[in-house]
Amino acid sequence: MAATASPGAGGMDAKARTSPKSVKFLFGGLAGMGATVFVQPLDLVKNRMQLSGEGAKTREYKTSFHALTSILRAEGLRGIYTGLPADQRRGYKNVFNALIRIVREEGVLTLWRGCIPTMARAVVVNAAQLASYSQSKQFLLDSGYFSDNILCHFCASMISGLVTTAASMPVDIVKTRIQNMRMIDGKPEYKNGLDVLVKVVRYEGFFSLWKGFTPYYARLGPHTVLTFIFLEQMNKAYKRLFLSG
């Protein structure tokens, strides 16, 4: 009579072949980091454009391409992986030095500056992104020209990114301005998010609320797709090297 494996043993074997939670956590972080390497220049251009027009000393960028070429011309290739324009930088050596100096110089509550607009942006982004992505993906699959693969995911992400960008950019510019605002004569530059919106519209024009639209849009879709591509490849490599056999 042939021997049969007990359900318990099979269950233990299946469980043993699952990636540990620590590995999943590591791969998730690495996938996000890998995607950021590719989209960071776009995010930099978006932030520079959102902050342009705040003061006389700030360089005004006409378009995303103008911003990118200006940064490359003035700061070189490494410039697209830096942060703010040189006169706006605060000289932080690293993230730990930034945390210590912010707490010491501006108070611990400054670490949560822009918390409310950040929360508002997260709500808008997630609501718009998840709903539009699922609808776009289903639309593409129903068209008969796509199957459930990377191409379909990419196209759905780009459609979703367009909707999400249009919906979230006004909130995003509020978040960026508040997080980067300075003290003027002992008073904060902006009172709250509504004050940012009013001042941007009044002094820079209504459509300035969507300043940096192109790099923001170009960043949103590919970042999601690249994250999942990297994650899937790392999971496949881990299963092949450590769980096979």
Side-chain angles (χ1 to χ4, degrees):
M1 186 174 182
T4 57
S6 65
M12 291 178 63
D13 183 62
K15 186 176 181 180
R17 292 182 179 277
T18 301
S19 303
K21 291 182 179 179
S22 58
V23 173
K24 293 178 180 178
F25 181 83
L26 174 64
F27 285 173
L30 290 175
M33 291 167 62
T36 301
V37 169
F38 290 92
V39 300
Q40 167 63 19
L42 298 172
D43 203 47
L44 174 74
V45 170
K46 185 264 296 183
N47 283 335
R48 295 279 185 99
M49 292 187 71
Q50 286 183 339
L51 291 172
S52 68
E54 281 192 298
K57 293 183 179 180
T58 308
R59 184 190 299 272
E60 182 68 36
Y61 299 118
K62 298 177 182 178
T63 63
S64 301
F65 182 74
H66 178 230
L68 182 61
T69 54
S70 298
I71 293 168
L72 288 171
R73 189 181 301 114
E75 304 173 44
L77 187 61
R78 293 182 61 183
I80 59 175
Y81 285 94
T82 58
L84 300 171
D87 60 334
Q88 293 185 349
R89 297 176 190 170
R90 306 193 183 188
Y92 300 132
K93 298 177 181 178
N94 50 57
V95 65
F96 301 108
N97 177 251
L99 288 171
I100 294 172
R101 281 188 52 192
I102 289 171
V103 172
R104 183 187 302 151
E105 298 170 11
E106 305 175 57
V108 66
L109 293 180
T110 306
L111 295 174
W112 283 269
R113 178 188 290 169
C115 178
I116 293 177
T118 299
M119 291 167 59
R121 176 188 177 276
V123 170
V124 173
V125 167
N126 284 283
Q129 193 172 45
L130 294 175
S132 59
Y133 179 81
S134 60
Q135 291 295 319
S136 300
K137 181 180 176 183
Q138 191 60 49
F139 172 79
L140 293 174
L141 292 175
D142 291 343
S143 71
Y145 294 103
F146 292 85
S147 56
D148 195 356
N149 52 27
I150 291 179
L151 177 61
C152 178
H153 301 164
F154 178 80
C155 293
S157 295
M158 296 308 291
I159 296 172
S160 172
L162 184 63
V163 175
T164 307
T165 299
S168 65
M169 279 219 70
V171 187
D172 191 71
I173 198 170
V174 169
K175 175 187 74 71
T176 302
R177 291 286 179 95
I178 288 181
Q179 288 179 334
N180 289 277
M181 70 178 177
R182 295 180 178 274
M183 302 298 289
I184 300 176
D185 296 327
K187 297 181 180 180
E189 190 175 2
Y190 302 107
K191 298 176 182 178
N192 48 49
L194 181 60
D195 186 43
V196 176
L197 290 174
V198 171
K199 288 182 176 178
V200 169
V201 173
R202 179 183 299 166
Y203 299 116
E204 303 172 42
F206 178 74
F207 290 104
S208 291
L209 294 175
W210 286 272
K211 188 182 292 183
F213 184 95
T214 303
Y216 187 98
Y217 168 57
R219 174 196 182 280
L220 203 60
H223 185 273
T224 302
V225 175
L226 287 170
T227 297
F228 283 109
I229 289 176
F230 286 133
L231 183 61
E232 290 294 338
Q233 293 304 312
M234 286 188 286
N235 282 331
K236 287 181 180 179
Y238 184 86
K239 290 178 181 179
R240 184 175 67 254
L241 294 173
F242 301 101
L243 302 180
S244 62

